[in-house]
Amino acid sequence: MALQITEKKGNFYIQGKITCDNVQALKLHFEYVLRKRKYVTINISDVSEIDTEGVVALTQMYHYSLLTKKIFTIIGVGSKEMYDHFRNQNIA
């Protein structure tokens, strides 16, 4: 399944695979959204696959939100693994 991003009641839902094939578009989309909003919540429950570049992209979006003093939240099934990844990052 190709990557699909929908918005409902201010939350973004990602469906499909987050891979090297679409990670740049994903980053550009959410960096744009983060410039326009104070907070962004994405739900990854319907993400069927995420490769290393996808994890790196989500990490970069998280770091971007910290630099711009925005709130970036990842929720849904699988978000615990992302939480653990972010928790283990050295953030200065």
Side-chain angles (χ1 to χ4, degrees):
M1 172 184 211
L3 186 70
Q4 183 179 13
I5 303 169
T6 55
E7 181 183 6
K8 191 183 301 179
K9 296 183 181 179
N11 294 321
F12 292 88
Y13 296 83
I14 301 177
Q15 296 174 307
K17 300 177 181 181
I18 302 175
T19 65
C20 60
D21 297 328
N22 56 30
V23 75
Q24 191 61 29
L26 178 76
K27 278 179 49 179
L28 289 173
H29 176 76
F30 282 108
E31 285 173 0
Y32 172 80
V33 172
L34 280 164
R35 283 194 301 272
K36 300 293 182 184
R37 297 183 181 194
K38 183 176 175 152
Y39 64 91
V40 172
T41 299
I42 63 171
N43 186 312
I44 61 170
S45 289
D46 292 328
V47 171
S48 59
E49 178 184 326
I50 182 166
D51 66 8
T52 303
E53 289 187 45
V55 173
V56 169
L58 290 173
T59 303
Q60 290 171 341
M61 289 187 286
Y62 174 72
H63 285 261
Y64 178 81
S65 72
L66 292 175
L67 290 172
T68 58
K69 297 184 178 11
K70 306 292 177 100
I71 298 168
F72 182 73
T73 307
I74 300 171
I75 62 172
V77 176
S79 60
K80 182 187 180 317
E81 289 81 7
M82 293 302 304
Y83 170 78
D84 290 343
H85 174 77
F86 292 134
R87 187 182 66 200
N88 293 325
Q89 294 289 305
N90 253 342
I91 300 172

